[in-house]
Amino acid sequence: MSGEQGTWYPCRSQVTEWRNVGQDTLVLHLTLKQYHILNHVAGRIWSLCDGTRSSRDIAEELARNFSTDADAVLSDVTDTLKGFGTMGILDAGSSS
Amino acid sequence: MTGHGYVTPPLAWLEHGGDTLALSRVNRRWAVLNPAAAAIIQSCGRPGATAQAIHSRFEARFGPVPGDRFVAWLDDLEATGLLVRNGQVSKTAQEPSPASYSVVHAYIEMLARCNLRCVHCFMGGAPERTEILTVREIKSIIDDLQAAGGRFVTLSGGEPVLHPDFPEIARYVTDQGLSGTVISNGTTLRPALLKLIDTLGFNLAISLDGVSDAVNKKIRGTTARRIIRVIDQALETLGPDRFTLSFTPVKSNLNEIEPLLEFVEARGIRRVNISVYEEVGRASAHASELSLSEEDRVQLMEVLFRRAIDLIGKTEIDLNDTRNILSQFIPDLCDDSVHPLWRSVRITSSGEVFPGSFGAVEHFRLGNIRETPFSDLLKSKRLSELRAMLGRRVERTPECKNCEWRQICRGGSVAAAFCATGEINAPDPHCRGYRAVFPKVAVALANRAPGPV
């Protein structure tokens, strides 16, 4: 979870389901029976959490989407991913 | 079939993968509902829906179902968090109706004199202070409160037991059928006084700044050992259910919280009250050594909520205006009486009267019992106006209005927000701490809840 920036490969938990609701993303935790609403940026980050991309890769992808610099968004991406971890919606073993 | 009433929290409905999802807007719980379950939930949305009425409506639509089976379904739905029995749903966004509003609690500062001179004291109690309420004045306050339907009296100070007529006044509280609490620094509580407090059925709160002598000496001018000795006597005399340990976290005692809560657990203390430091009274003169940084506040909330979960079933931790900081996460513990500002007034040793938790903020002063009868002050229009403002506060505070946790924290402490910003419609200074810990608390409590339905 707390790996250095750029070395973390976050992956959506297998006990979640998700779908878009308008611009937001609804994430259902299937065992906790809790849900979370992500705004469109967090939802985009969530969609990229497939276990193959590092947090740095996600930041670069997001930066391309929003025409900005990856370094400028990396800390926000990391914070968002930590938030996902706190919600329990990432696989525990998704750091490297 | 019981006559229990059932209600549902505000829900959102969503079709997902061929299923109907109901999502609680209050506690972030969701469930897949079949048409029958959805019909039950929807019929519970009506005020005053009893199990019998819901059952009748259900049978009219779906055909006969034995009563015990239907009750089992209701129990299953209750376990999802989407259905709450007996109106136990969080009333966080609700405002008490004007007709039901009355002050129920008087916090009386009997005198300003105190044998200690704690640096964080919000009212500046000290040995040289001479302001004092007379027996007659205090009895009159108690009479008026009782006549207005009040139920609770807190005797505070300064150090209340230094009031020359403390025993007579305490007896009077009990004789009038009111529930009494004494807030003391502990150092002057002799066994005979503890016996009196016990005999009168009073609750007792003693303040401590951690278990370290050095820290207590620095803040209170006395040792922890001295106070702990009295706490032990109090626990022995009153038992654990009528005792509260009070703690005001400041910069210099922040590291004492963990050891203090270990002490609480070891002693079997059932209630801890955390009074968040506000920069008022003497405390404002020591702000640099007392004020918590943003990081300190986050750390404070992390510790308080983590330990509150550890201590479930043993000790409850109250924070500022909230009785049991976990209450808003747990439907069974939600109630609408947690905001003392709606139900409490503070009377200073000079006779000044303020709404409950607002300290001596001139802006909210209601009057002085030496100029206006207390009974009239209890009916002050200002109290009603303030209550109405509070009812709208979360909606009018931009940071709160769209926050997903507003149903949990209710905007936090209005007094802390006001002291920090001078505004009612402002977020609690501990907002960042709340938002840092609430997701973890929600997950931790969900893990403790009965299995998914």
Side-chain angles (χ1 to χ4, degrees):
Chain A
M1 224 359 260
S2 57
E4 290 179 14
Q5 289 186 354
T7 61
W8 179 17
Y9 291 80
C11 185
R12 296 183 295 273
S13 167
Q14 293 181 3
V15 293
T16 61
E17 280 187 17
W18 56 289
R19 59 168 285 180
N20 295 327
V21 181
Q23 288 200 327
D24 296 333
T25 299
L26 170 70
V27 180
L28 301 173
H29 196 295
L30 301 178
T31 56
L32 295 181
K33 294 285 181 182
Q34 288 186 321
Y35 71 88
H36 303 277
I37 303 282
L38 310 181
N39 66 24
H40 71 290
V41 178
R44 179 69 183 133
I45 295 171
W46 172 253
S47 72
L48 296 169
C49 293
D50 58 5
T52 68
R53 293 177 172 88
S54 68
S55 47
R56 175 89 208 174
D57 296 334
I58 293 173
E60 286 173 356
E61 182 88 21
L62 205 67
R64 271 194 295 279
N65 292 164
F66 291 93
S67 304
T68 185
D69 181 62
D71 288 332
V73 298
L74 182 57
S75 68
D76 286 341
V77 167
T78 306
D79 285 347
T80 303
L81 293 172
K82 283 179 180 168
F84 292 166
T86 304
M87 294 172 191
I89 57 178
L90 289 179
D91 268 345
S94 59
S95 57
S96 67
Chain B
M1 182 73 63
T2 70
H4 285 309
Y6 285 88
V7 288
T8 54
L11 297 173
W13 296 86
L14 193 68
E15 295 302 318
H16 177 68
D19 293 321
T20 299
L21 299 187
L23 300 94
S24 165
R25 294 182 189 276
V26 173
N27 58 14
R28 313 189 66 78
R29 300 290 294 274
W30 63 273
V32 174
L33 301 179
N34 62 30
I40 293 173
I41 290 280
Q42 282 160 350
S43 67
C44 292
R46 303 177 195 180
T50 63
Q52 282 169 329
I54 299 163
H55 188 206
S56 300
R57 278 201 293 271
F58 184 88
E59 286 192 321
R61 182 171 167 190
F62 292 96
V65 177
D68 54 349
R69 186 185 300 174
F70 192 78
V71 167
W73 289 353
L74 291 176
D75 289 344
D76 287 346
L77 287 170
E78 204 179 341
T80 66
L82 301 180
L83 183 65
V84 184
R85 193 186 299 197
N86 280 340
Q88 288 164 337
V89 70
S90 168
K91 300 181 180 86
T92 51
Q94 296 178 21
E95 188 181 341
S97 70
S100 68
Y101 176 70
S102 64
V103 171
V104 297
H105 174 219
Y107 180 96
I108 305 172
E109 291 170 9
M110 301 167 71
L111 74 173
R113 186 158 72 92
C114 184
N115 57 319
L116 301 183
R117 196 191 302 274
C118 305
V119 292
H120 52 32
C121 182
F122 76 101
M123 58 76 60
E128 68 275 14
R129 295 279 299 268
T130 56
E131 305 95 311
I132 189 166
L133 293 172
T134 66
V135 179
R136 192 173 163 192
E137 286 171 331
I138 296 174
K139 285 186 175 177
S140 177
I141 290 168
I142 293 167
D143 289 343
D144 288 350
L145 178 75
Q146 191 204 32
R151 288 178 287 149
F152 307 104
V153 171
T154 296
L155 299 179
S156 182
E159 174 53 42
V161 302
L162 295 181
H163 193 290
D165 300 303
F166 174 80
E168 181 182 346
I169 292 164
R171 270 196 199 92
Y172 193 75
V173 171
T174 300
D175 288 347
Q176 301 311 305
L178 299 174
S179 171
T181 298
V182 179
I183 297 182
S184 170
N185 65 39
T187 59
T188 56
L189 284 173
R190 303 288 173 262
L193 263 177
L194 287 171
K195 186 72 187 160
L196 174 72
I197 289 168
D198 178 49
T199 305
L200 295 176
F202 264 60
N203 300 302
L204 172 65
I206 293 180
S207 308
L208 188 62
D209 278 291
V211 294
S212 148
D213 279 346
V215 171
N216 277 274
K217 194 88 181 161
K218 188 175 176 189
I219 296 174
R220 314 184 75 79
T222 190
T223 61
R225 218 172 330 159
R226 183 179 174 195
I227 301 169
I228 288 172
R229 198 161 47 236
V230 180
I231 289 173
D232 286 337
Q233 289 170 357
L235 287 168
E236 194 179 326
T237 307
L238 276 74
D241 290 326
R242 287 195 282 132
F243 178 79
T244 299
L245 185 71
S246 293
F247 177 75
T248 300
V250 293
K251 188 95 183 163
S252 47
N253 67 18
L254 202 57
N255 291 331
E256 287 288 299
I257 296 181
E258 292 265 24
L260 184 74
L261 291 173
E262 283 169 20
F263 165 78
V264 162
E265 189 172 10
R267 291 299 203 276
I269 292 170
R270 305 254 172 90
R271 194 169 168 206
V272 177
N273 180 264
I274 307 291
S275 299
V276 170
Y277 155 81
E278 287 157 13
E279 218 174 287
V280 292
R282 180 180 298 131
S284 57
H286 297 268
S288 60
E289 60 185 288
L290 297 176
S291 291
L292 300 177
S293 69
E294 190 78 1
E295 287 67 33
D296 291 336
R297 292 193 191 115
V298 173
Q299 182 196 337
L300 172 64
M301 291 304 150
E302 295 266 7
V303 173
L304 287 182
F305 278 89
R306 174 168 48 76
R307 293 296 281 135
I309 292 170
D310 292 344
L311 292 170
I312 286 175
K314 298 179 190 166
T315 303
E316 71 174 46
I317 298 178
D318 307 346
L319 177 64
N320 272 9
D321 307 338
T322 305
R323 176 82 193 260
N324 189 343
I325 57 175
L326 300 179
S327 61
Q328 297 308 309
F329 289 92
I330 303 171
D332 283 359
L333 297 179
C334 288
D335 76 54
D336 65 351
S337 61
V338 293
H339 209 310
L341 206 62
W342 287 346
R343 297 278 177 175
S344 176
V345 289
R346 167 184 179 234
I347 304 100
T348 75
S349 52
S350 303
E352 298 285 293
V353 182
F354 297 92
S357 60
F358 262 108
V361 179
E362 184 62 25
H363 182 72
F364 299 110
R365 179 178 177 270
L366 300 175
N368 191 303
I369 60 164
R370 289 167 182 164
E371 297 160 0
T372 311
F374 185 61
S375 55
D376 288 351
L377 297 177
L378 288 176
K379 296 174 205 152
S380 166
K381 196 178 165 196
R382 185 171 283 251
L383 269 177
S384 308
E385 289 169 352
L386 191 53
R387 179 185 58 78
M389 286 169 71
L390 289 172
R392 298 188 295 264
R393 176 170 169 254
V394 170
E395 285 306 309
R396 293 190 172 187
T397 302
E399 292 87 343
C400 301
K401 187 177 178 183
N402 297 314
C403 177
E404 60 188 347
W405 298 105
R406 66 186 181 282
Q407 295 277 9
I408 300 295
C409 81
R410 307 174 175 208
S413 165
V414 64
F418 187 86
C419 288
T421 67
E423 293 284 337
I424 280 184
N425 296 329
D428 181 329
H430 290 269
C431 177
R432 195 178 130 201
Y434 293 145
R435 283 189 283 116
V437 301
F438 281 177
K440 298 175 202 168
V441 175
V443 170
L445 291 177
N447 279 331
R448 296 177 57 92
V453 175

